[in-house]
Amino acid sequence: MTRVFSSKNRFDFEPGKVIGAKYTVQSKLGGGTEGEVYRVTERGTDIHRAIKAFYPKRASTEKELRAHARRLHQLRHCPAIVQYIHSTKAVVKGQTVMCRVSELVDGEPLDRMRRRRENRRLPLFEAMHIFHALAVALEPIHKARAYHGDIHAENVLVRRCGIDFNVRLLDLWDWGRWSKVQVAEDVRQAIMVFHEMLGGSREYASFPVEAKDICKGLRKDLLKKAFPDARALRDHLETFEWVTDAPTD
């Protein structure tokens, strides 16, 4: 019987392994239920790339990857999207493994950034800045009549740039055709990320009024009405008035 990989049967490629005859593994960047991501060097050019190797667990994997590549190409002008380069294949333990090659993006996963802070939460003003960057990142995606579909703190890479933050988004998820429902869900997920940055449910009672006015108790109906898309969310963040005396924490 042909062995099938699962999330419990990792690749764990060692540094120096060659993938697709063209890329040399430098280090592992992470992994999830779909596959694993590696920092690699392109042989012959020494250009650093990222490769996501997908577990060969579904017959439709190759078809899905082609559709996903087309979607990334469609969004190539959206600055927050990690740019797709091409797809390749590798043979691992006798099985063909599909791999997606993309640009290598610097940044720290937002979840890791939050967890290393005191009490695992960010100061209000810093969280607001990152949240605004996330709204700005989503706006051109929604304008292109697309959506992300899987926004959570592990899929948000953050890099500090002077007094500001640069945000990049990983792992778009395809739930079907674009719709206003999908767009509103993107915004709801982004607000949940903001909620987590401030400490989540355990700290919600102490949230300042400015944060509660955004989170709205995470009630889906209220969020959809107030923030139907990223543009509405960005407009709110750029125009609301502070009531809290010291918005730094």
Side-chain angles (χ1 to χ4, degrees):
M1 180 181 293
T2 302
R3 186 179 184 186
V4 177
F5 285 87
S6 70
S7 59
K8 295 182 180 180
N9 189 5
R10 306 293 189 186
F11 296 134
D12 289 327
F13 297 146
E14 295 290 338
K17 178 178 176 57
V18 177
I19 298 178
K22 192 175 180 180
Y23 300 97
T24 303
V25 172
Q26 300 298 318
S27 61
K28 186 175 181 179
L29 296 175
T33 58
E34 288 188 320
E36 298 167 14
V37 182
Y38 292 85
R39 177 191 294 265
V40 298
T41 302
E42 187 176 61
R43 304 180 81 187
T45 66
D46 290 333
I47 296 174
H48 294 283
R49 308 285 193 196
I51 278 186
K52 184 168 185 176
F54 291 85
Y55 299 129
K57 58 186 178 180
R58 299 187 304 269
S60 57
T61 295
E62 188 168 356
K63 180 180 178 181
E64 290 174 356
L65 280 179
R66 286 198 299 268
H68 191 67
R70 288 192 293 269
R71 189 167 180 231
L72 288 173
H73 181 71
Q74 172 196 355
L75 298 174
R76 65 192 181 279
H77 301 303
C78 299
I81 298 297
V82 176
Q83 296 298 303
Y84 166 81
I85 296 174
H86 70 94
S87 297
T88 188
K89 298 180 181 180
V91 176
V92 181
K93 299 179 181 179
Q95 288 201 85
T96 299
V97 173
M98 297 300 301
C99 302
R100 185 180 69 224
V101 183
S102 63
E103 65 172 321
L104 182 66
V105 178
D106 291 328
E108 181 179 20
L110 179 55
D111 186 55
R112 185 188 305 166
M113 180 182 185
R114 178 188 62 81
R115 284 188 284 109
R116 66 179 175 81
R117 296 301 186 85
E118 184 179 356
N119 296 323
R120 297 194 171 194
R121 59 191 294 263
L122 299 181
L124 174 63
F125 211 51
E126 184 177 6
M128 283 284 195
H129 271 278
I130 295 173
F131 185 43
H132 176 262
L134 180 54
V136 170
L138 282 173
E139 187 175 353
I141 298 174
H142 292 170
K143 188 176 181 179
R145 292 180 67 83
Y147 62 94
H148 185 282
D150 191 27
I151 299 170
H152 54 78
E154 294 178 354
N155 275 348
V156 179
L157 288 183
V158 179
R159 181 169 61 89
R160 188 185 293 273
C161 302
I163 63 172
D164 219 335
F165 294 91
N166 178 266
V167 164
R168 303 295 294 273
L169 300 174
L170 306 177
D171 288 345
L172 279 76
W173 192 261
D174 191 354
W175 297 103
R177 291 182 178 273
W178 174 93
S179 70
K180 292 182 179 180
V181 172
Q182 301 286 15
V183 168
E185 178 62 15
D186 266 1
V187 175
R188 187 186 74 86
Q189 290 177 2
I191 290 172
M192 289 179 67
V193 169
F194 175 63
H195 182 266
E196 291 173 8
M197 280 193 277
L198 295 179
S201 298
R202 75 176 190 278
E203 300 288 347
Y204 189 75
S206 64
F207 280 14
V209 63
E210 294 84 1
K212 286 183 177 178
D213 193 41
I214 293 168
C215 295
K216 301 185 183 304
L218 298 183
R219 283 185 53 181
K220 186 179 291 189
D221 56 336
L222 297 180
L223 294 177
K224 184 177 180 180
K225 182 178 180 180
F227 312 116
D229 56 25
R231 175 63 183 272
L233 180 60
R234 180 177 67 82
D235 284 348
H236 174 81
L237 292 173
E238 292 178 359
T239 59
F240 78 87
E241 295 187 8
W242 284 97
V243 176
T244 306
D245 291 334
T248 55
D249 202 347

